[in-house]
Amino acid sequence: MENLLTRLGFSFFLYFFISFDISLSFSPVDNYLVNSGAFLDSTVDNRRFVSDSSGSTHAHLSSPQSFSLCAGTLLPTLPPIYHTARVFKAPSKYVFDVKDPGTHMVRLHFHRFSSPNLNLVDSRFHVLVNGLVALTNFSGGNSLGPRVIEYLLCVHSEKLEITFVPDGESNFAFVNAIEVISAPRDLIPEIAQSLNGDKVENFEGLNQQAFEVVHRVTVGGAKVTPFNDSLWRTWLPDDDYLKLSEGSTRVYFSGKIKYQEGAASRQVGPDNVYDSARLIESKNASIPNVNLSWEFPVIEDYKYLVRLHFCDIASVSLGLLFFNVYVNGHLAYKDLDPSAVTNYLLASPFYLDFVVDADRSGIVSVAVGPSNKSMAYAVDAILNGVEIMKMNNLMGSFDGKLPAELVMKGSPRRSVDFLLPLIALVCLLLSLSVFMRRRMDKVDSVTWSKLPMDVPETTPKQGKQQLSSKVSKMRDQNSIGQQVEGIVSMGQEPWSPAPLSVADLGGVIICGV
């Protein structure tokens, strides 16, 4: 009997623990997981991806010409969503109903496999997400493995559309799987800090922007897979991005991460990111004169959101850690005090957001290092994670400078080839127009001298005598002679302006004047 009660008690505790753990997990209102091109559903990381077959109501597929394609060789190490693909021979789109307006995560899965009927390596296409140009002249990534591209965008409409447009050269597009998930309210705040050199200003309306996730790394720790992230993200180790690590130390934390309301939540960053870090530590009376720095390749002419994750899991006491934060070589935060930010609580995570411009170097750099307030025999700098997100440009594009209207035509490169000569011709015509206008203004500006007012009056008889000699010289010009006679009969002296030469017109001959 006692054993039975013990078992019942243990079962109740286990049930309570599991229920409590599940209650902490995120349950999105909009949660669309599409297994493109498959006839059956697939489960990946305890998540069910639903087939996009014609009978499915999970996502509305509008495609005049599409078909399912299966990989010629099934690799058991790959999730089943990468064994099939939906291939489009004409512009096509998925339409998703939006029940929860606000920030949504959109993930596109691509894997270029080959089959006896078609090789996806030959694809080239363009992708639009809710009217934003997401990809142009895309071929599905590299052939070594799957590629997942993630976007964060604010959706206020009742529908979210993802459009695939085949390029004219390849004539087909494809996708393996799609995720459309409503994000937590605190994932993207309203305000960030904008960096322009050493000048720091507020960047408002951040939660109304759209982003493409370019880099997401955990500092000092191992890879974090979607199974271990409450928003099913992947965090890569920072080893490939770390540039200056002299004097740094990795640290791992086995205690509990203390999330606080108003700071970083478990959805902003999982425990597996905050329980590891790289730090600079003073082990004697002197403070190390060194910075920890990372470099992330980016595309120039875009703005980027740089999110830095911090959690003091190394200090032995509160109020001992002070350090500086640098972004693109500029001081972004001076004398950062994690204890003050977290209301004096160790192992409590928070993050800082900065909006920066990418210059021609094609690099966004991040660094942390000791400040003037750093102490000896203490931790002097720390960083737990980094996220780099590209913001769309003024043309509403993450990939190029052409608007969605031109991309929808199927060949942005040919559009550019057509537009460049057209723009050159327009510029030439405008230049000629300005040139002609200036010459016309010069002609119009010629002043005519006023007739002299002191000319003595002549009688008709005197005028006839004075003009008789002129008339005799013009006898062979009958028409002109008639004009002269008419003038004489009226008693007026004929007058005409001196003829203008080509030189007087500035070298411009005007026809039809």
Side-chain angles (χ1 to χ4, degrees), residues 270-292:
D271 295 44
N272 292 13
V273 169
Y274 292 123
D275 62 13
S276 64
R278 290 185 189 269
L279 54 86
I280 297 175
E281 186 176 10
S282 173
K283 297 182 180 180
N284 50 42
S286 63
I287 299 174
N289 185 21
V290 64
N291 289 341
L292 273 172

Side-chain angles (χ1 to χ4, degrees), residues 259-385:
Y259 293 95
Q260 297 187 75
E261 185 176 355
S265 65
R266 185 173 274 104
Q267 284 72 47
V268 170
D271 295 44
N272 292 13
V273 169
Y274 292 123
D275 62 13
S276 64
R278 290 185 189 269
L279 54 86
I280 297 175
E281 186 176 10
S282 173
K283 297 182 180 180
N284 50 42
S286 63
I287 299 174
N289 185 21
V290 64
N291 289 341
L292 273 172
S293 64
W294 295 260
E295 292 183 354
F296 301 90
V298 295
I299 299 175
E300 61 178 317
D301 296 331
Y302 285 91
K303 288 184 178 296
Y304 288 85
L305 172 63
V306 179
R307 173 167 290 184
L308 306 179
H309 296 264
F310 302 96
C311 186
D312 187 0
I313 56 175
S315 294
V316 296
S317 180
L318 291 167
L320 299 180
L321 175 57
F322 298 88
F323 60 99
N324 292 335
V325 178
Y326 306 88
V327 178
N328 279 351
H330 301 287
L331 181 61
Y333 204 113
K334 183 179 180 180
D335 300 327
L336 178 59
D337 179 6
S339 295
V341 175
T342 60
N343 294 320
Y344 295 93
L345 188 65
L346 291 176
S348 181
F350 66 96
Y351 64 91
L352 299 178
D353 282 343
F354 302 98
V355 175
V356 300
D357 291 302
D359 56 22
R360 294 183 178 179
S361 67
I363 294 293
V364 168
S365 64
V366 172
V368 294
S371 75
N372 293 332
K373 293 185 178 182
S374 295
M375 302 179 185
Y377 299 101
V379 178
D380 295 321
I382 192 171
L383 184 63
N384 302 75

Side-chain angles (χ1 to χ4, degrees), residues 68-250:
S68 298
L69 186 70
C70 294
T73 302
L74 300 181
L75 298 177
T77 57
L78 287 180
I81 58 174
Y82 299 117
H83 294 166
T84 60
R86 172 70 61 181
V87 179
F88 310 99
K89 298 288 289 183
S92 308
K93 64 181 179 181
Y94 288 91
V95 181
F96 302 88
D97 295 327
V98 176
K99 303 175 184 177
D100 183 25
T103 302
H104 279 64
M105 298 175 289
V106 176
R107 297 189 184 108
L108 306 177
H109 296 253
F110 301 99
H111 178 48
R112 302 194 304 178
F113 61 73
S114 62
S115 73
N117 300 322
L118 189 66
N119 191 346
L120 297 181
V121 175
D122 299 327
S123 66
R124 187 174 295 277
F125 55 95
H126 326 293
V127 182
L128 285 77
V129 179
N130 243 28
L132 295 173
V133 179
L135 298 166
T136 59
N137 300 316
F138 186 66
S139 59
N142 58 60
S143 58
L144 299 178
R147 181 178 179 184
V148 182
I149 305 178
E150 179 179 331
Y151 302 91
L152 300 173
L153 61 154
C154 187
V155 182
H156 294 294
S157 59
E158 297 180 352
K159 304 288 183 181
L160 188 150
E161 297 182 358
I162 302 176
T163 306
F164 297 86
V165 183
D167 183 77
E169 296 181 0
S170 71
N171 293 322
F172 75 92
F174 80 94
V175 66
N176 299 88
I178 298 175
E179 300 178 49
V180 175
I181 306 168
S182 53
R185 298 295 186 210
D186 64 342
L187 185 62
I188 302 295
E190 183 180 355
I191 299 177
Q193 300 299 307
S194 176
L195 294 182
N196 185 8
D198 289 328
K199 187 177 181 180
V200 181
E201 299 177 332
N202 281 346
F203 185 97
E204 299 182 355
L206 186 72
N207 56 353
Q208 302 299 314
Q209 304 296 318
F211 308 91
E212 176 189 348
V213 178
V214 181
H215 302 286
R216 181 179 282 139
V217 302
T218 175
V219 176
K223 179 180 179 179
V224 180
T225 63
F227 183 79
N228 296 315
D229 185 284
S230 57
L231 295 184
W232 309 282
R233 296 163 295 196
T234 298
W235 302 72
L236 298 177
D238 68 323
D239 302 81
D240 292 338
Y241 309 99
L242 184 63
K243 294 304 175 182
L244 294 178
S245 60
E246 182 182 357
S248 68
T249 305
R250 294 176 187 255

